Amino acid sequence: MEAMAQPAGVSILGMMAGLFGVLGLVTVNALFLIWMERKVSAHMQLRPGPMEVGWHGSIQTIADALKLIGKELITPRDVDRPVYLLAPIVVFLPVLLSFLVIPFSQTLIIRDMNVGVLLILAFASLTVLAVLMAGWSSNNKYSVLGAIRSVAQNVAYEIPLLITLMSIIIMVGSLSLADIVAAQSKYWFIVVQPVAFILYITCATAETNRAPFDLPEAESELVAGFHTEYTGMRFGLFFLAEYTNMFIVAAIATVFFLGGWRGPFLPGIAWFLIKVYAIIFLIMWFRWTFPRVRFDQLITFAWKILIPWPLPT
Protein backbone atom coordinates (compact mmCIF):
# COMPACT_ATOMS: atom_id res chain seq x y z
CA MET A 1 0.00 0.00 0.00
CA GLU A 2 2.85 2.44 0.82
CA ALA A 3 4.54 1.68 -2.50
CA MET A 4 1.32 2.45 -4.32
CA ALA A 5 0.68 5.69 -2.40
CA GLN A 6 4.10 7.19 -3.12
CA PRO A 7 3.62 7.82 -6.86
CA ALA A 8 0.30 9.50 -6.14
CA GLY A 9 2.00 11.84 -3.68
CA VAL A 10 4.74 12.64 -6.16
CA SER A 11 2.09 13.31 -8.80
CA ILE A 12 0.20 15.70 -6.52
CA LEU A 13 3.42 17.55 -5.66
CA GLY A 14 4.25 17.74 -9.35
CA MET A 15 0.83 19.14 -10.17
CA MET A 16 1.12 21.74 -7.39
CA ALA A 17 4.57 22.77 -8.62
CA GLY A 18 3.12 23.00 -12.14
CA LEU A 19 0.28 25.23 -10.94
CA PHE A 20 2.68 27.60 -9.15
CA GLY A 21 4.83 27.67 -12.27
CA VAL A 22 1.76 28.47 -14.37
CA LEU A 23 0.78 31.26 -11.95
CA GLY A 24 4.23 32.80 -12.36
CA LEU A 25 4.04 32.44 -16.14
CA VAL A 26 0.58 34.04 -16.25
CA THR A 27 1.75 37.01 -14.18
CA VAL A 28 4.94 37.62 -16.17
CA ASN A 29 3.11 37.11 -19.47
CA ALA A 30 0.40 39.62 -18.56
CA LEU A 31 2.96 42.23 -17.48
CA PHE A 32 4.88 41.76 -20.73
CA LEU A 33 1.76 41.89 -22.93
CA ILE A 34 0.54 45.12 -21.33
CA TRP A 35 3.95 46.72 -22.00
CA MET A 36 3.96 45.25 -25.51
CA GLU A 37 0.53 46.65 -26.31
CA ARG A 38 1.53 50.09 -25.07
CA LYS A 39 4.61 50.08 -27.30
CA VAL A 40 2.79 48.61 -30.33
CA SER A 41 -0.03 51.15 -30.11
CA ALA A 42 2.43 54.00 -29.54
CA HIS A 43 4.60 53.16 -32.54
CA MET A 44 1.55 52.73 -34.76
CA GLN A 45 0.52 56.26 -33.78
CA LEU A 46 4.09 57.63 -34.10
CA ARG A 47 4.56 58.02 -30.33
CA PRO A 48 7.36 56.62 -28.11
CA GLY A 49 5.08 55.09 -25.48
CA PRO A 50 6.31 54.55 -21.89
CA MET A 51 10.01 55.44 -21.61
CA GLU A 52 10.82 56.54 -18.05
CA VAL A 53 10.60 53.46 -15.78
CA GLY A 54 13.22 50.94 -16.89
CA TRP A 55 14.72 50.55 -20.37
CA HIS A 56 12.13 51.94 -22.80
CA GLY A 57 9.54 51.68 -20.02
CA SER A 58 10.15 47.93 -19.62
CA ILE A 59 9.18 47.92 -15.93
CA GLN A 60 6.44 50.53 -16.18
CA THR A 61 3.84 47.76 -15.97
CA ILE A 62 5.38 46.46 -12.73
CA ALA A 63 5.06 49.94 -11.23
CA ASP A 64 1.42 50.09 -12.38
CA ALA A 65 0.77 46.65 -10.88
CA LEU A 66 2.20 47.70 -7.52
CA LYS A 67 0.00 50.81 -7.61
CA LEU A 68 -3.04 48.64 -8.41
CA ILE A 69 -2.28 46.30 -5.51
CA GLY A 70 -2.14 49.29 -3.16
CA LYS A 71 -5.48 50.75 -4.22
CA GLU A 72 -8.50 50.47 -1.95
CA LEU A 73 -11.02 47.70 -2.61
CA ILE A 74 -14.31 49.59 -2.73
CA THR A 75 -17.53 47.56 -2.56
CA PRO A 76 -20.67 49.50 -3.54
CA ARG A 77 -23.44 49.36 -0.97
CA ASP A 78 -26.22 47.75 -3.06
CA VAL A 79 -24.30 45.00 -4.86
CA ASP A 80 -25.13 41.31 -4.56
CA ARG A 81 -22.09 40.82 -2.34
CA PRO A 82 -21.37 37.04 -2.57
CA VAL A 83 -21.67 36.97 -6.38
CA TYR A 84 -19.84 40.30 -6.71
CA LEU A 85 -16.84 39.02 -4.73
CA LEU A 86 -16.82 35.60 -6.43
CA ALA A 87 -16.83 36.89 -10.04
CA PRO A 88 -13.12 37.96 -10.22
CA ILE A 89 -12.07 34.53 -8.91
CA VAL A 90 -14.30 32.67 -11.37
CA VAL A 91 -12.93 34.70 -14.29
CA PHE A 92 -9.29 34.04 -13.35
CA LEU A 93 -9.22 30.34 -12.36
CA PRO A 94 -10.33 28.92 -15.76
CA VAL A 95 -7.57 30.72 -17.68
CA LEU A 96 -5.07 29.51 -15.11
CA LEU A 97 -6.15 25.87 -15.42
CA SER A 98 -6.13 25.98 -19.24
CA PHE A 99 -2.32 26.09 -19.15
CA LEU A 100 -2.24 22.55 -17.75
CA VAL A 101 -2.78 20.97 -21.20
CA ILE A 102 -0.94 23.43 -23.50
CA PRO A 103 2.15 21.72 -25.05
CA PHE A 104 4.96 24.31 -24.99
CA SER A 105 7.37 21.74 -26.42
CA GLN A 106 7.60 18.00 -26.95
CA THR A 107 8.53 17.49 -23.30
CA LEU A 108 7.22 20.67 -21.61
CA ILE A 109 3.57 19.97 -20.89
CA ILE A 110 2.06 19.66 -17.43
CA ARG A 111 -0.59 17.11 -18.37
CA ASP A 112 -1.16 15.59 -21.81
CA MET A 113 -4.85 14.67 -21.87
CA ASN A 114 -6.69 12.96 -24.71
CA VAL A 115 -9.48 15.53 -24.30
CA GLY A 116 -7.27 18.59 -23.93
CA VAL A 117 -9.22 20.63 -26.48
CA LEU A 118 -12.50 19.97 -24.67
CA LEU A 119 -10.93 20.97 -21.36
CA ILE A 120 -9.82 24.38 -22.67
CA LEU A 121 -13.18 25.04 -24.35
CA ALA A 122 -15.05 24.04 -21.18
CA PHE A 123 -12.96 26.40 -19.06
CA ALA A 124 -13.49 29.16 -21.63
CA SER A 125 -17.25 28.90 -21.13
CA LEU A 126 -16.78 29.66 -17.41
CA THR A 127 -15.29 33.04 -18.33
CA VAL A 128 -18.63 34.05 -19.84
CA LEU A 129 -20.38 33.02 -16.62
CA ALA A 130 -17.96 35.14 -14.58
CA VAL A 131 -18.60 38.20 -16.76
CA LEU A 132 -22.37 37.73 -16.33
CA MET A 133 -21.91 37.36 -12.57
CA ALA A 134 -19.86 40.58 -12.42
CA GLY A 135 -22.33 42.61 -14.46
CA TRP A 136 -25.49 41.33 -12.79
CA SER A 137 -24.21 41.55 -9.22
CA SER A 138 -22.91 45.13 -9.63
CA ASN A 139 -26.47 46.56 -9.60
CA ASN A 140 -25.42 48.97 -12.32
CA LYS A 141 -27.21 49.38 -15.65
CA TYR A 142 -23.97 49.93 -17.57
CA SER A 143 -22.49 46.76 -16.06
CA VAL A 144 -25.59 44.70 -16.82
CA LEU A 145 -25.65 45.86 -20.45
CA GLY A 146 -21.94 45.06 -20.81
CA ALA A 147 -22.48 41.57 -19.36
CA ILE A 148 -25.46 40.84 -21.63
CA ARG A 149 -23.47 42.01 -24.65
CA SER A 150 -20.60 39.73 -23.65
CA VAL A 151 -22.86 36.67 -23.32
CA ALA A 152 -24.53 37.31 -26.70
CA GLN A 153 -21.15 37.91 -28.34
CA ASN A 154 -19.48 34.81 -26.90
CA VAL A 155 -22.41 32.54 -27.75
CA ALA A 156 -22.45 33.83 -31.34
CA TYR A 157 -18.71 33.60 -32.00
CA GLU A 158 -18.09 30.35 -30.14
CA ILE A 159 -20.02 28.40 -32.79
CA PRO A 160 -17.85 29.29 -35.82
CA LEU A 161 -14.74 28.99 -33.63
CA LEU A 162 -15.69 25.41 -32.74
CA ILE A 163 -16.42 24.62 -36.38
CA THR A 164 -12.93 25.77 -37.44
CA LEU A 165 -11.30 23.65 -34.73
CA MET A 166 -13.44 20.65 -35.67
CA SER A 167 -12.03 20.74 -39.21
CA ILE A 168 -8.57 20.04 -37.75
CA ILE A 169 -9.80 17.54 -35.16
CA ILE A 170 -11.51 15.48 -37.88
CA MET A 171 -8.29 15.48 -39.94
CA VAL A 172 -6.19 14.30 -36.99
CA GLY A 173 -8.75 12.07 -35.29
CA SER A 174 -7.73 13.14 -31.78
CA LEU A 175 -8.60 15.76 -29.16
CA SER A 176 -5.09 15.73 -27.71
CA LEU A 177 -3.11 18.91 -28.38
CA ALA A 178 0.15 16.95 -28.51
CA ASP A 179 -1.31 14.60 -31.15
CA ILE A 180 -2.43 17.58 -33.25
CA VAL A 181 1.12 18.99 -33.22
CA ALA A 182 2.58 15.54 -34.01
CA ALA A 183 0.29 15.28 -37.06
CA GLN A 184 1.98 18.37 -38.56
CA SER A 185 5.37 16.74 -39.03
CA LYS A 186 5.26 17.19 -42.84
CA TYR A 187 3.32 20.45 -43.18
CA TRP A 188 1.44 22.93 -41.04
CA PHE A 189 -2.34 22.79 -41.22
CA ILE A 190 -2.55 26.46 -42.18
CA VAL A 191 -1.39 25.30 -45.63
CA VAL A 192 -4.45 23.08 -46.17
CA GLN A 193 -6.90 25.07 -43.97
CA PRO A 194 -6.15 28.78 -44.58
CA VAL A 195 -9.83 29.78 -44.43
CA ALA A 196 -10.22 28.01 -41.09
CA PHE A 197 -7.22 29.94 -39.75
CA ILE A 198 -8.69 33.29 -40.83
CA LEU A 199 -12.05 32.39 -39.30
CA TYR A 200 -10.39 31.25 -36.07
CA ILE A 201 -8.39 34.47 -35.66
CA THR A 202 -11.55 36.53 -36.29
CA CYS A 203 -13.60 34.55 -33.77
CA ALA A 204 -10.77 34.50 -31.22
CA THR A 205 -10.54 38.29 -31.41
CA ALA A 206 -14.26 38.51 -30.65
CA GLU A 207 -14.09 35.85 -27.92
CA THR A 208 -11.41 37.80 -26.04
CA ASN A 209 -13.43 41.05 -26.33
CA ARG A 210 -10.72 42.75 -28.33
CA ALA A 211 -11.30 45.66 -30.72
CA PRO A 212 -12.98 45.97 -33.15
CA PHE A 213 -15.22 43.57 -31.18
CA ASP A 214 -14.82 45.09 -27.70
CA LEU A 215 -18.52 45.93 -27.28
CA PRO A 216 -18.83 44.56 -23.69
CA GLU A 217 -16.29 47.20 -22.56
CA ALA A 218 -17.27 49.99 -24.95
CA GLU A 219 -16.11 52.95 -22.88
CA SER A 220 -17.88 55.48 -25.13
CA GLU A 221 -21.30 54.26 -24.01
CA LEU A 222 -20.82 51.77 -21.12
CA VAL A 223 -18.10 53.44 -18.98
CA ALA A 224 -16.10 50.20 -18.53
CA GLY A 225 -18.84 47.63 -19.06
CA PHE A 226 -19.18 44.66 -16.75
CA HIS A 227 -16.24 45.62 -14.46
CA THR A 228 -17.26 49.27 -13.94
CA GLU A 229 -17.81 48.76 -10.19
CA TYR A 230 -14.54 46.91 -9.53
CA THR A 231 -11.41 48.55 -8.09
CA GLY A 232 -7.92 47.52 -7.08
CA MET A 233 -6.91 43.91 -7.61
CA ARG A 234 -10.51 42.83 -8.21
CA PHE A 235 -10.31 44.85 -11.41
CA GLY A 236 -6.75 43.59 -11.83
CA LEU A 237 -7.96 39.96 -12.00
CA PHE A 238 -10.31 40.84 -14.89
CA PHE A 239 -7.44 42.62 -16.63
CA LEU A 240 -5.10 39.68 -15.98
CA ALA A 241 -7.65 37.21 -17.34
CA GLU A 242 -8.14 39.25 -20.54
CA TYR A 243 -4.46 39.24 -21.45
CA THR A 244 -4.04 35.60 -20.43
CA ASN A 245 -6.97 34.69 -22.68
CA MET A 246 -5.11 36.35 -25.55
CA PHE A 247 -2.16 34.03 -24.89
CA ILE A 248 -4.42 30.96 -24.74
CA VAL A 249 -6.25 31.64 -28.02
CA ALA A 250 -2.88 32.37 -29.69
CA ALA A 251 -1.47 29.12 -28.25
CA ILE A 252 -4.42 27.16 -29.65
CA ALA A 253 -3.90 28.78 -33.07
CA THR A 254 -0.22 27.81 -32.88
CA VAL A 255 -1.04 24.20 -31.99
CA PHE A 256 -3.81 23.77 -34.56
CA PHE A 257 -2.45 25.70 -37.55
CA LEU A 258 1.25 26.59 -37.12
CA GLY A 259 2.85 23.32 -36.09
CA GLY A 260 3.15 24.03 -32.38
CA TRP A 261 6.74 23.74 -31.19
CA ARG A 262 8.06 22.54 -34.57
CA GLY A 263 10.80 24.57 -36.25
CA PRO A 264 14.49 24.37 -37.24
CA PHE A 265 17.58 25.18 -35.15
CA LEU A 266 15.91 26.71 -32.08
CA PRO A 267 14.47 24.72 -29.15
CA GLY A 268 10.78 23.79 -29.38
CA ILE A 269 9.63 26.18 -26.66
CA ALA A 270 11.36 29.08 -28.46
CA TRP A 271 9.47 28.36 -31.67
CA PHE A 272 6.23 27.96 -29.75
CA LEU A 273 6.56 31.35 -28.03
CA ILE A 274 7.67 33.10 -31.25
CA LYS A 275 4.53 31.90 -33.02
CA VAL A 276 2.26 32.73 -30.08
CA TYR A 277 3.53 36.29 -29.70
CA ALA A 278 3.40 36.82 -33.47
CA ILE A 279 -0.34 36.02 -33.37
CA ILE A 280 -0.80 38.27 -30.32
CA PHE A 281 0.93 41.07 -32.25
CA LEU A 282 -1.57 40.48 -35.08
CA ILE A 283 -4.50 40.80 -32.63
CA MET A 284 -3.01 44.02 -31.22
CA TRP A 285 -2.54 45.29 -34.76
CA PHE A 286 -6.28 44.78 -35.35
CA ARG A 287 -7.11 46.85 -32.28
CA TRP A 288 -5.22 49.91 -33.46
CA THR A 289 -6.27 49.62 -37.12
CA PHE A 290 -9.99 48.87 -37.33
CA PRO A 291 -12.80 51.00 -35.85
CA ARG A 292 -15.29 49.49 -33.42
CA VAL A 293 -18.41 48.03 -35.06
CA ARG A 294 -22.00 48.49 -33.85
CA PHE A 295 -23.42 45.68 -31.75
CA ASP A 296 -26.05 44.71 -34.34
CA GLN A 297 -23.29 44.51 -36.97
CA LEU A 298 -21.24 42.34 -34.62
CA ILE A 299 -24.00 39.78 -34.10
CA THR A 300 -25.13 39.84 -37.74
CA PHE A 301 -21.56 39.19 -38.89
CA ALA A 302 -21.38 36.07 -36.68
CA TRP A 303 -24.78 34.53 -37.42
CA LYS A 304 -25.13 35.41 -41.12
CA ILE A 305 -21.52 35.24 -42.37
CA LEU A 306 -19.09 33.41 -40.07
CA ILE A 307 -21.37 30.47 -39.23
CA PRO A 308 -22.72 29.67 -42.74
CA TRP A 309 -19.34 30.21 -44.46
CA PRO A 310 -17.44 27.12 -43.17
CA LEU A 311 -20.47 24.82 -43.34
CA PRO A 312 -20.89 22.63 -46.44
CA THR A 313 -23.66 23.77 -48.81
Side-chain angles (χ1 to χ4, degrees):
M1 292 293 291
E2 292 179 359
M4 294 177 64
Q6 186 175 359
V10 172
S11 176
I12 292 173
L13 290 175
M15 289 290 288
M16 291 181 65
L19 282 174
F20 281 112
V22 166
L23 184 59
L25 174 63
V26 166
T27 304
V28 173
N29 172 71
L31 294 175
F32 172 73
L33 287 183
I34 294 169
W35 173 81
M36 176 181 171
E37 178 144 44
R38 282 174 162 175
K39 300 301 284 189
V40 168
S41 63
H43 285 289
M44 285 186 175
Q45 299 171 357
L46 302 180
R47 297 184 291 111
M51 295 289 287
E52 298 299 324
V53 187
W55 181 79
H56 278 249
S58 56
I59 59 175
Q60 177 66 55
T61 312
I62 298 177
D64 293 340
L66 293 175
K67 181 184 73 171
L68 198 62
I69 292 172
K71 283 187 174 292
E72 182 181 1
L73 296 176
I74 300 173
T75 304
R77 182 182 57 195
D78 296 325
V79 300
D80 187 342
R81 191 176 181 86
V83 181
Y84 175 86
L85 297 179
L86 189 61
I89 300 173
V90 176
V91 80
F92 181 69
L93 282 181
V95 298
L96 187 66
L97 295 175
S98 296
F99 276 85
L100 296 177
V101 295
I102 294 177
F104 290 89
S105 70
Q106 193 167 7
T107 56
L108 188 55
I109 176 174
I110 297 177
R111 189 66 179 266
D112 182 18
M113 302 179 65
N114 58 357
V115 289
V117 179
L118 289 180
L119 186 71
I120 291 178
L121 296 175
F123 286 150
S125 64
L126 292 178
T127 303
V128 185
L129 176 63
V131 169
L132 182 61
M133 290 169 60
W136 183 261
S137 64
S138 293
N139 195 24
N140 179 307
K141 293 180 180 179
Y142 297 110
S143 299
V144 173
L145 285 173
I148 293 173
R149 281 184 174 187
S150 182
V151 172
Q153 178 173 324
N154 279 270
V155 169
Y157 281 85
E158 203 167 89
I159 298 171
L161 185 142
L162 293 176
I163 294 174
T164 59
L165 296 183
M166 279 301 300
S167 65
I168 304 298
I169 292 170
I170 292 172
M171 288 175 59
V172 177
S174 173
L175 292 170
S176 168
L177 297 176
D179 290 346
I180 293 171
V181 175
Q184 300 176 70
S185 58
K186 296 181 179 179
Y187 54 85
W188 297 352
F189 287 149
I190 190 175
V191 176
V192 294
Q193 293 278 12
V195 175
F197 177 74
I198 295 171
L199 288 173
Y200 175 83
I201 293 298
T202 304
C203 296
T205 304
E207 283 283 297
T208 51
N209 296 333
R210 298 283 301 180
F213 306 126
D214 60 335
L215 274 300
E217 305 171 26
E219 66 276 359
S220 58
E221 65 259 25
L222 294 182
V223 188
F226 56 88
H227 53 66
T228 298
E229 300 292 352
Y230 285 89
T231 61
M233 276 311 296
R234 292 174 187 165
F235 164 77
L237 288 177
F238 283 103
F239 209 59
L240 198 62
E242 178 179 334
Y243 279 92
T244 307
N245 272 325
M246 284 177 58
F247 186 93
I248 291 172
V249 298
I252 294 174
T254 300
V255 168
F256 272 76
F257 298 100
L258 301 181
W261 63 77
R262 295 186 177 277
F265 310 120
L266 297 177
I269 187 172
W271 277 114
F272 186 86
L273 293 178
I274 288 171
K275 296 172 185 177
V276 166
Y277 285 111
I279 293 174
I280 291 175
F281 172 78
L282 184 65
I283 294 175
M284 291 179 178
W285 189 357
F286 291 164
R287 174 175 183 176
W288 301 103
T289 303
F290 300 111
R292 179 184 293 138
V293 298
R294 295 200 318 263
F295 190 71
D296 61 309
Q297 294 172 333
L298 175 78
I299 299 301
T300 300
F301 183 63
W303 288 104
K304 293 188 177 181
I305 297 177
L306 290 185
I307 294 176
W309 191 11
L311 294 176
T313 55

